[in-house]
Every structure is written in C-alpha cells, then in structure tokens.
C-alpha cells in the first residue's frame, strides 16, 4: 500500500532538491533544470511546506541545505535513480517480461551467458537484465529476481538450484611456462596471483598436492577476469575455475601450469527469495536450467 498522498511530493520538487544538493546552489540547479531561479525556489518552498521540516537556509544571497535537507536529498537521489532504472528497463524490454539477475562477473560471462542465449531463443518474450554482485545481499532491498551464488548453502531466506561444481587449475602465459606444466614445488617459486573473494585458495591447492605452503604473497585482484588478464600479460600464475581456464586455453593466451584440475567443495547456485513463489519468467529460467546443466 502506498504512503498517504501528503508524503508523496511532486517529481519536479524532488528534482529541484536533488539538484541543489548536488550542484551546491539554486542558481546552478535552475540552469540544469532549465528553470528560473524563482521557479526552483518555489518548488523547494512547496516541498518544505508539504514535509513540514526546514530543508533550506539562507547563506548570504544564496541557499544551502540544512542537515535534514541533505539527508532527505540523499534518499531522494536513491529514489530518483531507482525510478530511472525502472523506466530504462521497461523501455528496453518493451512489452516483454523482465528478469533481473545479479551475477558473478566471470561465471555470468563464460557459463551463464551462453545458456541465456539459448533461453532467449525459447522464451523471446522475456528480457534478462544482468547486474554484477560479488557477495550476498538483501533481496528485500535490492530488486533482483534471482542471483548467482558461489560457496555453500549459506544464504538465508532463499531457495537453491545447483548449477555447477567448481574445479580449478593453475594457468599462466606461454612465456612464463617455458618447458610446459610445472610441479607443485616449482610453482611455489613462481609469482602467484590471488583473488580477494577466495582467501587461502592457493594454500588449499598446494595442500591437496601434498606441498607445504605458508604466507603466500602476490598481486591481489577482485575479479577472476582481471586476474586472468594479468596472468596473460605474464604477471604470474592464476588459479582459475574450469569455465574461464578453458576459454583462455582455447584462445591461446594461457596454458595449464599444472597437469590436472582440482575439484573443490564450493558450488555455483542460482538462488531466489523463498518468501514468495517465483515469477513466471523466473520459473521458466529455473525449469530451463534444470534441463541444461
């Protein structure tokens, strides 16, 4: 249910407040909004009267936001951005249904995207919108239909569909691998690249090979794709998931730095809030992914 009408100011008055806060003056706001200075002032005065709180104060010949006004302006900016994004999505999708997915960037690009292409061919009336998220979030606050999650079933309030198990392999540029794949002991003496979201990944890998490792250091990255790019440029050895490693091996930019893949306990899941039944587009995607592992 919507809030009472008296708490829903006009878009024009909210735009005026946001512009004054961002640009620092009513004059600059008026110029951006193609209004007169007095028109902006009137919009702000109407907003103050409607809210019942002083939002502006005089500073010399100009106006400045009060602390309450600045707080309100930040909330207004978020609402205006949400409205703009909603308008863009419906404009891009037209009469088609939208499916908003939060994805892990490398997995989304190399594993999910090819499957979404096939999904679009079967369900041409559904538009899938992809946004990057690297960690779990609150579905109640961020308006996604579903998300890609890596790890265990530790995301509260969601249902799970397992998509893929994880296997990793050390990979490096051909120039760095003169003589072919290395032993685990040889890799210990080479520069190793690390991922922020996988602390201890190299230690776990070396332990599985029976090699002792301690306090491994090296360049740190926040995404697999940038780490793979650094490896291709010769900065070091990257521990990559199979879907990304195979893509790089086919392109010839990277080669296996070790003969075999190592299976990990972590898995990739599609997750969605269990507080309500999936929408028709999401239910179609879930059924489609169950068919095409």
């Amino acid at each position: 249910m919507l809030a009472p009408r008296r708490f829903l100011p006009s878009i024009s008055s909210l735009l005026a407040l946001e512009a004054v806060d961002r640009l620092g003056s009513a004059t600059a706001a008026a110029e951006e909004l193609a209004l007169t200075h007095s028109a902006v002032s009137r919009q702000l005065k109407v907003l103050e009267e409607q809210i019942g709180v002083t939002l502006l104060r005089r500073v010399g010949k100009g106006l400045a936001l009060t602390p309450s006004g600045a707080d309100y302006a930040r909330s207004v900016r978020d609402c205006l951005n949400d409205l703009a994004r909603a308008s863009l999505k419906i404009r891009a999708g037209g009469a088609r249904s939208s499916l908003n997915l939060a994805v892990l960037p490398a997995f989304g690009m190399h594993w999910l995207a090819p499957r979404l292409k096939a999904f679009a061919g079967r369900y041409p009336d559904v538009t899938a919108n992809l946004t990057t998220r690297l960690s779990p979030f609150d579905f109640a606050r961020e308006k996604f239909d579903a998300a890609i999650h890596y790890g265990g079933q530790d995301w509260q309030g969601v249902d799970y569909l397992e998509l893929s198990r994880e296997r990793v392999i050390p990979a490096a540029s051909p120039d760095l691998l003169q003589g072919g794949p290395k032993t685990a002991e040889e890799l210990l003496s080479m520069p190793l690249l690390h991922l922020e979201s996988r602390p201890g990944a190299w230690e776990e890998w070396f332990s599985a090979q029976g090699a002792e490792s301690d306090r491994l250091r090296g360049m740190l990255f926040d995404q697999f794709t940038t780490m793979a790019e650094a490896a291709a440029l010769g900065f070091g050895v990257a521990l990559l998931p199979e879907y990304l490693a195979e893509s790089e091996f086919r392109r010839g930019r990277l080669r296996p730095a070790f003969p075999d893949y190592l299976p990990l306990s972590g898995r990739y899941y599609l997750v969605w809030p269990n507080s309500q039944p999936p929408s028709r587009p999401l239910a179609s995607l879930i059924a489609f992914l169950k068919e095409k592992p």
Side-chain angles (χ1 to χ4, degrees):
M1 180 177 179
L2 283 177
R5 178 71 180 268
R6 66 180 181 277
F7 294 125
L8 297 175
S10 67
I11 292 293
S12 55
S13 63
L14 297 178
L15 287 170
L17 178 72
E18 189 280 331
V20 169
D21 177 58
R22 176 167 43 83
L23 300 174
S25 73
T27 300
E31 184 174 339
E32 178 177 274
L33 298 172
L35 298 172
T36 63
H37 184 283
S38 59
V40 169
S41 297
R42 283 196 301 273
Q43 292 283 2
L44 296 174
K45 184 171 181 58
V46 168
L47 183 59
E48 279 190 324
E49 292 173 351
Q50 187 173 9
I51 298 298
V53 174
T54 301
L55 302 175
L56 299 132
R57 56 188 173 85
R58 285 277 176 192
V59 177
K61 295 183 179 180
L63 295 173
L65 269 64
T66 64
S68 296
D71 286 344
Y72 186 43
R74 284 191 288 271
S75 297
V76 164
R77 184 175 297 113
D78 290 340
C79 292
L80 291 173
N81 282 331
D82 285 344
L83 180 59
R85 282 191 289 267
S87 300
L88 176 61
K89 285 176 181 176
I90 194 169
R91 178 176 179 178
R96 293 177 292 179
S97 301
S98 290
L99 183 59
N100 301 314
L101 305 176
V103 301
L104 300 170
F107 187 82
M109 179 188 304
H110 294 277
W111 191 95
L112 183 63
R115 289 163 175 79
L116 286 180
K117 183 176 180 181
F119 175 76
R122 184 182 299 185
Y123 299 95
D125 60 328
V126 177
T127 298
N129 304 308
L130 307 184
T131 303
T132 296
R133 287 292 184 276
L134 297 175
S135 58
F137 54 85
D138 184 353
F139 273 105
R141 294 179 61 86
E142 299 204 50
K143 304 305 180 184
F144 290 106
D145 297 296
I148 300 296
H149 172 57
Y150 173 78
Q153 296 192 14
D154 53 4
W155 191 331
Q156 300 300 311
V158 301
D159 287 327
Y160 292 82
L161 172 64
E162 183 178 329
L163 300 177
S164 174
R165 298 189 177 189
E166 182 82 300
R167 299 202 310 162
V168 296
I169 192 169
S173 69
D175 291 340
L176 201 62
L177 292 177
Q178 298 296 332
K182 309 298 181 183
T183 64
E185 289 73 18
E186 288 173 325
L187 288 176
L188 275 170
S189 65
M190 300 179 70
L192 304 177
L193 308 181
H194 303 262
L195 193 71
E196 288 180 358
S197 60
R198 303 285 182 91
W202 271 115
E203 286 81 358
E204 181 181 355
W205 185 88
F206 280 113
S207 177
Q209 310 308 324
E212 292 187 10
S213 62
D214 184 39
R215 298 181 181 179
L216 300 176
R217 295 179 174 85
M219 295 177 67
L220 188 64
F221 300 85
D222 68 341
Q223 295 187 27
F224 273 125
T225 50
T226 51
M227 187 169 68
E229 187 67 29
L233 292 172
F235 282 98
V237 184
L239 193 58
L240 297 181
E242 183 176 11
Y243 59 83
L244 179 55
E246 289 298 321
S247 174
E248 293 291 350
F249 296 160
R250 287 192 296 270
R251 296 170 67 187
R253 301 197 323 147
L254 295 176
R255 290 181 181 171
F258 191 78
D260 302 314
Y261 281 93
L262 174 69
L264 299 181
S265 59
R267 303 178 184 188
Y268 291 93
Y269 299 93
L270 181 74
V271 301
W272 60 94
N274 58 19
S275 56
Q276 59 186 18
S279 64
R280 182 188 60 81
L282 177 56
S284 298
L285 178 64
I286 293 169
F288 179 83
L289 292 175
K290 285 180 179 179
E291 293 175 13
K292 295 185 176 295

